[in-house]
Coordinates of all heavy atoms in Angstrom, one line a residue:
M1 N 85.4 90.6 97.6 CA 86.2 91.5 96.7 C 86.3 90.8 95.4 O 86.5 89.6 95.2 CB 87.6 91.6 97.3 CG 87.7 92.5 98.6 SD 89.3 92.7 99.3 CE 90.2 93.5 98.0
E2 N 86.3 91.7 94.4 CA 86.4 91.3 93.0 C 87.9 91.4 92.6 O 88.6 92.2 93.2 CB 85.5 92.1 92.1 CG 84.0 92.0 92.4 CD 83.5 90.6 92.1 OE1 83.9 90.0 91.1 OE2 82.6 90.2 92.9
R3 N 88.3 90.8 91.5 CA 89.6 90.9 91.0 C 89.9 92.4 90.7 O 89.2 93.1 90.1 CB 89.7 90.1 89.7 CG 91.1 90.1 89.1 CD 91.2 89.1 87.9 NE 92.6 89.0 87.5 CZ 93.1 89.6 86.4 NH1 92.3 90.4 85.8 NH2 94.3 89.4 86.1
G4 N 91.1 92.8 91.2 CA 91.5 94.2 91.1 C 91.1 95.1 92.2 O 91.5 96.3 92.3
D5 N 90.2 94.7 93.0 CA 89.7 95.5 94.1 C 90.8 95.8 95.1 O 91.7 94.9 95.3 CB 88.5 94.9 94.9 CG 87.2 95.0 94.1 OD1 87.2 95.8 93.1 OD2 86.2 94.4 94.5
I6 N 90.8 96.9 95.8 CA 91.8 97.3 96.8 C 91.1 97.7 98.1 O 90.1 98.4 98.1 CB 92.6 98.5 96.3 CG1 93.4 98.1 95.0 CG2 93.6 99.0 97.3 CD1 94.0 99.3 94.3
F7 N 91.6 97.1 99.1 CA 91.1 97.4 100.5 C 92.2 98.0 101.3 O 93.3 97.4 101.4 CB 90.6 96.1 101.1 CG 90.1 96.3 102.5 CD1 88.8 96.9 102.7 CD2 90.8 95.9 103.6 CE1 88.3 97.0 104.0 CE2 90.2 96.1 104.9 CZ 89.0 96.6 105.1
A8 N 92.1 99.3 101.7 CA 93.1 100.0 102.4 C 92.7 100.4 103.8 O 91.6 101.0 103.9 CB 93.6 101.2 101.6
I9 N 93.5 100.2 104.8 CA 93.3 100.6 106.1 C 94.6 101.4 106.5 O 95.7 100.9 106.4 CB 93.2 99.5 107.1 CG1 92.0 98.6 106.7 CG2 93.0 100.0 108.6 CD1 91.9 97.3 107.6
L10 N 94.4 102.7 106.8 CA 95.5 103.6 107.1 C 95.3 104.4 108.4 O 94.1 104.8 108.6 CB 95.8 104.6 106.0 CG 96.1 104.0 104.6 CD1 94.9 103.8 103.8 CD2 97.2 104.9 104.0
T11 N 96.3 104.5 109.2 CA 96.1 105.4 110.4 C 96.0 106.8 110.0 O 96.4 107.2 108.8 CB 97.3 105.2 111.4 OG1 98.5 105.5 110.7 CG2 97.4 103.8 111.9
D12 N 95.5 107.7 110.9 CA 95.3 109.1 110.5 C 96.6 109.8 110.2 O 96.6 110.9 109.6 CB 94.6 109.8 111.7 CG 95.3 109.8 113.0 OD1 96.4 109.1 113.1 OD2 94.8 110.4 113.9
G13 N 97.7 109.2 110.5 CA 99.0 109.9 110.2 C 99.2 110.2 108.8 O 99.8 111.2 108.4
F14 N 98.6 109.3 107.9 CA 98.7 109.5 106.5 C 98.0 110.8 106.0 O 98.5 111.5 105.1 CB 98.2 108.3 105.7 CG 99.2 107.2 105.7 CD1 99.1 106.2 106.6 CD2 100.2 107.1 104.7 CE1 100.0 105.1 106.6 CE2 101.1 106.0 104.7 CZ 101.0 105.0 105.7
Y15 N 96.9 111.1 106.5 CA 96.1 112.2 106.0 C 96.1 113.4 106.9 O 95.8 114.5 106.5 CB 94.7 111.8 105.6 CG 93.9 111.1 106.7 CD1 93.2 111.7 107.6 CD2 93.9 109.7 106.7 CE1 92.5 111.0 108.6 CE2 93.2 109.0 107.6 CZ 92.5 109.6 108.6 OH 91.8 109.0 109.5
E16 N 96.6 113.3 108.2 CA 96.6 114.4 109.1 C 98.0 115.1 109.1 O 98.1 116.1 109.8 CB 96.2 114.0 110.5 CG 94.7 113.7 110.6 CD 94.2 113.4 112.0 OE1 95.0 113.3 112.9 OE2 93.0 113.3 112.1
W17 N 99.0 114.6 108.5 CA 100.3 115.3 108.4 C 100.0 116.7 107.9 O 99.4 116.8 106.8 CB 101.3 114.6 107.6 CG 102.2 113.7 108.4 CD1 102.0 113.2 109.6 CD2 103.5 113.2 108.0 NE1 103.0 112.4 110.0 CE2 104.0 112.4 109.0 CE3 104.2 113.4 106.8 CZ2 105.2 111.8 108.9 CZ3 105.5 112.8 106.7 CH2 106.0 112.0 107.8
A18 N 100.5 117.7 108.5 CA 100.3 119.1 108.1 C 101.6 119.8 107.9 O 102.5 119.6 108.7 CB 99.4 119.8 109.1
R19 N 101.6 120.6 106.9 CA 102.8 121.5 106.7 C 102.7 122.6 107.7 O 101.7 122.8 108.5 CB 102.7 122.1 105.3 CG 102.8 121.1 104.2 CD 102.9 121.7 102.8 NE 101.9 122.7 102.6 CZ 101.2 122.8 101.4 NH1 101.5 122.1 100.4 NH2 100.3 123.7 101.3
E20 N 103.8 123.5 107.7 CA 103.8 124.6 108.7 C 102.7 125.6 108.5 O 102.3 126.2 109.4 CB 105.2 125.3 108.6 CG 106.3 124.4 109.1 CD 107.6 125.1 109.0 OE1 107.7 126.4 108.8 OE2 108.7 124.5 109.2
D21 N 102.1 125.6 107.3 CA 101.0 126.6 107.0 C 99.7 126.0 107.4 O 98.6 126.6 107.3 CB 101.0 127.0 105.6 CG 100.7 125.8 104.6 OD1 100.5 124.7 105.0 OD2 100.8 126.1 103.4
G22 N 99.7 124.8 108.0 CA 98.5 124.1 108.5 C 97.7 123.3 107.6 O 96.8 122.6 107.9
V23 N 98.2 123.2 106.3 CA 97.5 122.4 105.3 C 97.8 121.0 105.5 O 99.0 120.6 105.6 CB 97.9 122.9 103.9 CG1 97.3 121.9 102.8 CG2 97.5 124.3 103.6
Q24 N 96.8 120.1 105.7 CA 97.0 118.7 105.9 C 97.1 118.0 104.5 O 96.5 118.5 103.5 CB 95.8 118.1 106.7 CG 95.8 118.6 108.1 CD 94.7 117.9 108.9 OE1 93.8 117.3 108.3 NE2 94.8 117.9 110.2
F25 N 97.8 116.8 104.5 CA 97.8 116.0 103.3 C 96.4 115.6 102.9 O 96.1 115.8 101.7 CB 98.7 114.8 103.5 CG 99.0 114.1 102.3 CD1 99.9 114.6 101.4 CD2 98.4 112.9 102.0 CE1 100.2 113.9 100.2 CE2 98.7 112.2 100.8 CZ 99.6 112.7 99.9
G26 N 95.6 115.2 103.8 CA 94.2 114.9 103.5 C 93.9 113.6 102.9 O 94.7 113.0 102.2
A27 N 92.7 113.1 103.3 CA 92.2 111.8 102.8 C 92.0 111.8 101.3 O 92.1 110.8 100.6 CB 90.9 111.5 103.5
D28 N 91.6 113.0 100.7 CA 91.4 113.0 99.3 C 92.7 112.7 98.5 O 92.6 112.0 97.5 CB 90.8 114.4 98.8 CG 89.4 114.6 99.3 OD1 88.7 113.6 99.6 OD2 89.0 115.8 99.3
R29 N 93.8 113.3 99.0 CA 95.1 113.0 98.3 C 95.4 111.5 98.4 O 95.9 110.9 97.4 CB 96.2 113.8 98.9 CG 96.2 115.3 98.5 CD 97.5 116.0 98.9 NE 97.5 117.4 98.5 CZ 97.1 118.4 99.2 NH1 96.7 118.2 100.5 NH2 97.2 119.6 98.8
V30 N 95.2 110.9 99.6 CA 95.5 109.5 99.8 C 94.6 108.7 98.8 O 95.1 107.8 98.1 CB 95.2 109.1 101.2 CG1 95.3 107.5 101.3 CG2 96.1 109.7 102.2
S31 N 93.3 109.0 98.7 CA 92.4 108.3 97.8 C 92.8 108.4 96.3 O 92.8 107.4 95.6 CB 91.0 108.8 98.0 OG 90.5 108.5 99.2
E32 N 93.2 109.6 96.0 CA 93.7 109.9 94.6 C 94.9 109.1 94.2 O 95.0 108.5 93.1 CB 93.9 111.4 94.4 CG 94.1 111.8 93.0 CD 92.8 111.6 92.2 OE1 91.7 111.6 92.7 OE2 92.9 111.3 90.9
I33 N 95.9 109.0 95.1 CA 97.1 108.2 94.9 C 96.7 106.7 94.7 O 97.2 106.1 93.8 CB 98.1 108.3 96.0 CG1 98.6 109.7 96.1 CG2 99.2 107.3 95.9 CD1 99.4 110.1 97.4
I34 N 95.8 106.2 95.6 CA 95.4 104.8 95.4 C 94.7 104.5 94.1 O 95.0 103.6 93.4 CB 94.5 104.4 96.6 CG1 95.4 104.4 97.9 CG2 93.9 103.0 96.4 CD1 94.6 104.2 99.2
K35 N 93.8 105.4 93.7 CA 93.1 105.3 92.4 C 94.1 105.3 91.2 O 94.0 104.6 90.3 CB 92.1 106.4 92.3 CG 90.9 106.2 93.1 CD 89.9 107.4 92.9 CE 88.9 107.4 94.0 NZ 88.0 108.6 93.9
N36 N 95.1 106.3 91.3 CA 96.0 106.4 90.2 C 97.0 105.3 90.1 O 97.6 105.1 89.1 CB 96.8 107.7 90.3 CG 95.9 108.9 90.1 OD1 94.9 108.9 89.4 ND2 96.3 110.1 90.6
R37 N 97.2 104.5 91.2 CA 98.1 103.4 91.2 C 97.5 102.1 91.2 O 98.1 101.1 91.5 CB 99.0 103.6 92.5 CG 99.7 104.9 92.7 CD 100.9 104.9 91.8 NE 101.7 106.1 92.1 CZ 102.4 106.8 91.2 NH1 102.4 106.4 90.0 NH2 103.0 107.9 91.6
Q38 N 96.2 102.0 90.9 CA 95.4 100.7 91.1 C 96.0 99.6 90.2 O 95.8 98.4 90.5 CB 94.0 101.0 90.8 CG 93.6 101.4 89.4 CD 92.2 101.7 89.2 OE1 91.4 101.4 90.1 NE2 91.8 102.4 88.2
S39 N 96.8 99.9 89.2 CA 97.3 98.8 88.4 C 98.6 98.2 89.0 O 99.1 97.2 88.6 CB 97.7 99.3 87.0 OG 98.7 100.3 87.0
Q40 N 99.1 98.9 90.1 CA 100.3 98.4 90.7 C 100.0 97.4 91.8 O 98.9 97.3 92.2 CB 101.1 99.6 91.3 CG 101.6 100.6 90.2 CD 102.3 101.8 90.8 OE1 102.1 102.2 91.9 NE2 103.3 102.3 90.0
S41 N 101.1 96.8 92.4 CA 100.9 95.9 93.5 C 100.5 96.7 94.8 O 100.7 97.9 94.9 CB 102.2 95.1 93.7 OG 103.2 96.0 94.3
A42 N 100.0 95.9 95.7 CA 99.7 96.5 97.0 C 100.9 97.2 97.7 O 100.8 98.3 98.2 CB 99.1 95.5 98.0
E43 N 102.0 96.5 97.6 CA 103.3 97.1 98.1 C 103.7 98.4 97.4 O 104.0 99.4 98.1 CB 104.4 96.1 98.0 CG 105.7 96.6 98.6 CD 106.9 95.6 98.5 OE1 106.7 94.6 97.9 OE2 107.9 96.0 99.1
E44 N 103.6 98.4 96.1 CA 103.9 99.7 95.4 C 102.9 100.8 95.7 O 103.4 101.9 95.8 CB 103.9 99.4 93.9 CG 105.0 98.5 93.4 CD 104.9 98.0 92.0 OE1 103.8 97.7 91.6 OE2 105.9 98.0 91.3
I45 N 101.7 100.5 95.9 CA 100.7 101.5 96.2 C 101.0 102.1 97.6 O 101.0 103.3 97.8 CB 99.3 100.9 96.2 CG1 98.8 100.5 94.8 CG2 98.3 101.9 96.8 CD1 97.6 99.7 94.7
L46 N 101.3 101.2 98.6 CA 101.6 101.7 99.9 C 102.9 102.5 99.9 O 102.9 103.6 100.5 CB 101.8 100.5 100.8 CG 102.3 100.8 102.3 CD1 101.3 101.7 102.9 CD2 102.4 99.5 103.0
L47 N 103.9 102.1 99.2 CA 105.1 102.9 99.1 C 104.9 104.3 98.5 O 105.4 105.3 98.9 CB 106.2 102.2 98.4 CG 106.8 100.9 99.0 CD1 107.7 100.2 98.1 CD2 107.5 101.3 100.4
S48 N 104.0 104.3 97.5 CA 103.7 105.6 96.8 C 103.0 106.5 97.8 O 103.3 107.7 97.8 CB 102.9 105.3 95.6 OG 102.6 106.5 94.9
V49 N 102.0 106.0 98.5 CA 101.3 106.8 99.5 C 102.3 107.4 100.5 O 102.3 108.6 100.8 CB 100.1 106.1 100.2 CG1 99.5 106.9 101.3 CG2 99.1 105.7 99.2
R50 N 103.1 106.5 101.1 CA 104.1 107.0 102.1 C 105.0 108.0 101.5 O 105.3 109.0 102.1 CB 104.8 105.8 102.6 CG 105.7 106.2 103.8 CD 106.8 105.2 104.1 NE 107.8 105.2 103.0 CZ 108.6 104.3 102.8 NH1 108.6 103.2 103.5 NH2 109.4 104.4 101.8
D51 N 105.6 107.7 100.3 CA 106.5 108.7 99.7 C 105.9 110.0 99.5 O 106.5 111.1 99.7 CB 107.1 108.1 98.4 CG 108.0 106.9 98.7 OD1 108.4 106.7 99.8 OD2 108.3 106.2 97.7
N52 N 104.6 110.0 99.0 CA 103.9 111.3 98.7 C 103.7 112.1 100.0 O 103.8 113.3 100.0 CB 102.6 111.1 98.0 CG 102.8 110.9 96.5 OD1 102.8 111.9 95.8 ND2 103.0 109.7 96.0
V53 N 103.3 111.4 101.1 CA 103.1 112.1 102.4 C 104.4 112.7 102.9 O 104.4 113.8 103.3 CB 102.5 111.1 103.4 CG1 102.5 111.7 104.8 CG2 101.1 110.7 103.1
E54 N 105.5 111.9 102.8 CA 106.7 112.4 103.3 C 107.3 113.5 102.5 O 107.8 114.5 103.0 CB 107.8 111.3 103.4 CG 107.4 110.3 104.5 CD 108.3 109.0 104.5 OE1 109.1 108.8 103.5 OE2 108.3 108.3 105.5
H55 N 107.1 113.5 101.2 CA 107.5 114.6 100.3 C 106.7 115.8 100.5 O 107.2 117.0 100.5 CB 107.4 114.2 98.8 CG 107.8 115.2 97.9 ND1 109.1 115.6 97.7 CD2 107.1 116.0 97.1 CE1 109.2 116.6 96.8 NE2 107.9 116.9 96.4
F56 N 105.4 115.7 100.8 CA 104.5 116.8 101.0 C 104.9 117.6 102.2 O 104.8 118.8 102.3 CB 103.0 116.3 101.2 CG 102.0 117.3 101.6 CD1 101.4 118.1 100.7 CD2 101.6 117.4 103.0 CE1 100.5 119.0 101.0 CE2 100.6 118.3 103.3 CZ 100.1 119.2 102.3
C57 N 105.4 116.9 103.2 CA 105.7 117.5 104.5 C 107.1 117.1 105.0 O 107.3 116.5 106.0 CB 104.6 117.0 105.5 SG 104.6 118.0 107.0
E58 N 108.1 117.5 104.3 CA 109.5 117.1 104.5 C 110.0 117.5 105.9 O 110.7 116.8 106.6 CB 110.4 117.6 103.5 CG 110.2 116.9 102.1 CD 111.1 117.5 101.0 OE1 112.0 118.3 101.4 OE2 110.9 117.1 99.9
T59 N 109.6 118.7 106.4 CA 110.1 119.2 107.6 C 109.2 119.1 108.8 O 109.4 119.6 109.9 CB 110.6 120.7 107.5 OG1 109.4 121.4 107.1 CG2 111.6 120.8 106.4
C60 N 108.0 118.4 108.6 CA 107.1 118.3 109.7 C 107.5 117.2 110.7 O 108.2 116.3 110.4 CB 105.7 117.9 109.1 SG 105.1 119.0 107.9
Q61 N 106.9 117.4 111.9 CA 107.1 116.3 112.8 C 106.3 115.1 112.4 O 105.1 115.2 112.0 CB 106.5 116.8 114.2 CG 106.6 115.7 115.3 CD 106.1 116.1 116.6 OE1 105.8 117.3 116.8 NE2 106.0 115.2 117.5
A62 N 106.9 114.0 112.4 CA 106.3 112.7 111.9 C 105.2 112.2 112.8 O 105.3 112.3 114.0 CB 107.4 111.6 111.8
D63 N 104.1 111.8 112.2 CA 103.0 111.1 112.9 C 103.2 109.6 112.6 O 104.0 109.3 111.7 CB 101.7 111.7 112.4 CG 100.5 111.3 113.3 OD1 100.7 110.5 114.2 OD2 99.5 111.9 113.1
D64 N 102.4 108.8 113.3 CA 102.5 107.4 113.0 C 102.0 107.1 111.6 O 101.0 107.8 111.1 CB 101.7 106.6 114.0 CG 100.2 106.9 113.9 OD1 99.8 108.0 114.2 OD2 99.5 106.0 113.6
L65 N 102.6 106.2 110.9 CA 102.2 105.8 109.6 C 102.1 104.3 109.6 O 103.1 103.6 109.4 CB 103.2 106.3 108.5 CG 103.4 107.8 108.3 CD1 104.5 108.1 107.3 CD2 102.1 108.4 107.9
T66 N 100.9 103.8 109.8 CA 100.7 102.4 109.8 C 99.6 102.1 108.8 O 98.6 102.8 108.8 CB 100.2 101.9 111.2 OG1 101.2 102.3 112.1 CG2 100.1 100.4 111.2
A67 N 99.8 101.1 107.9 CA 98.8 100.8 106.9 C 98.8 99.3 106.5 O 99.8 98.6 106.6 CB 99.1 101.6 105.6
I68 N 97.6 98.9 106.0 CA 97.5 97.6 105.4 C 96.8 97.8 104.1 O 95.7 98.5 104.1 CB 96.6 96.7 106.3 CG1 97.3 96.4 107.6 CG2 96.3 95.3 105.6 CD1 96.4 95.7 108.6
I69 N 97.4 97.3 103.0 CA 96.7 97.4 101.7 C 96.6 96.0 101.2 O 97.6 95.3 101.1 CB 97.5 98.4 100.8 CG1 97.4 99.8 101.3 CG2 96.9 98.3 99.4 CD1 97.9 100.8 100.4
I70 N 95.4 95.6 100.8 CA 95.1 94.3 100.3 C 94.6 94.5 98.9 O 93.6 95.3 98.7 CB 94.1 93.6 101.1 CG1 94.6 93.4 102.5 CG2 93.7 92.2 100.5 CD1 93.6 92.9 103.5
K71 N 95.1 93.8 97.9 CA 94.6 93.9 96.5 C 94.4 92.5 96.0 O 95.2 91.6 96.1 CB 95.7 94.6 95.7 CG 95.2 94.7 94.2 CD 96.2 95.5 93.4 CE 95.7 95.5 92.0 NZ 96.7 96.2 91.1
R72 N 93.2 92.3 95.6 CA 92.8 91.0 95.0 C 93.3 90.9 93.6 O 93.0 91.7 92.7 CB 91.3 90.8 95.0 CG 90.9 89.5 94.3 CD 90.0 88.7 95.1 NE 89.7 87.4 94.5 CZ 88.6 86.9 94.3 NH1 87.5 87.5 94.8 NH2 88.4 85.7 93.7
T73 N 94.2 89.9 93.4 CA 94.8 89.8 92.0 C 94.3 88.6 91.2 O 94.5 88.5 90.1 CB 96.3 89.6 92.2 OG1 96.6 88.5 93.0 CG2 96.9 90.9 92.8
G74 N 93.7 87.6 91.9 CA 93.3 86.4 91.1 C 91.8 86.1 91.3 O 91.0 86.7 91.9

């Protein structure tokens, strides 16, 4: 990994959460959040992904949300 690279492992709960209309949060949204937050710390990126998923689907049944985000800083 080079300086600034991000390695993310997330369970399917992050991208398979679906609203009542059947629309899933999706892997593309997860990737976009990570790209847009790449200047932030790994913890801040993870919190942003989680917050966006939960906001997208406030009334949905929760799926598991487990993740590891590693960011090379030095």
Side-chain angles (χ1 to χ4, degrees):
M1 289 180 61
E2 300 293 323
R3 186 172 186 261
D5 284 351
I6 299 168
F7 181 74
I9 302 170
L10 298 95
T11 59
D12 62 353
F14 282 94
Y15 50 89
E16 287 185 354
W17 263 23
R19 297 186 308 220
E20 289 182 14
D21 62 4
V23 175
Q24 292 184 340
F25 189 75
D28 289 342
R29 282 189 179 97
V30 172
S31 295
E32 193 65 29
I33 293 166
I34 293 170
K35 287 177 192 173
N36 289 338
R37 305 282 189 211
Q38 63 186 347
S39 65
Q40 295 180 333
S41 70
E43 181 180 7
E44 291 170 319
I45 294 168
L46 176 57
L47 292 174
S48 181
V49 172
R50 189 198 68 203
D51 290 348
N52 276 273
V53 169
E54 290 175 348
H55 179 72
F56 175 80
C57 195
E58 292 178 7
T59 61
C60 303
Q61 178 179 350
D63 196 349
D64 65 294
L65 295 177
T66 304
I68 298 171
I69 296 189
I70 300 168
K71 181 175 178 182
R72 174 129 187 227
T73 58

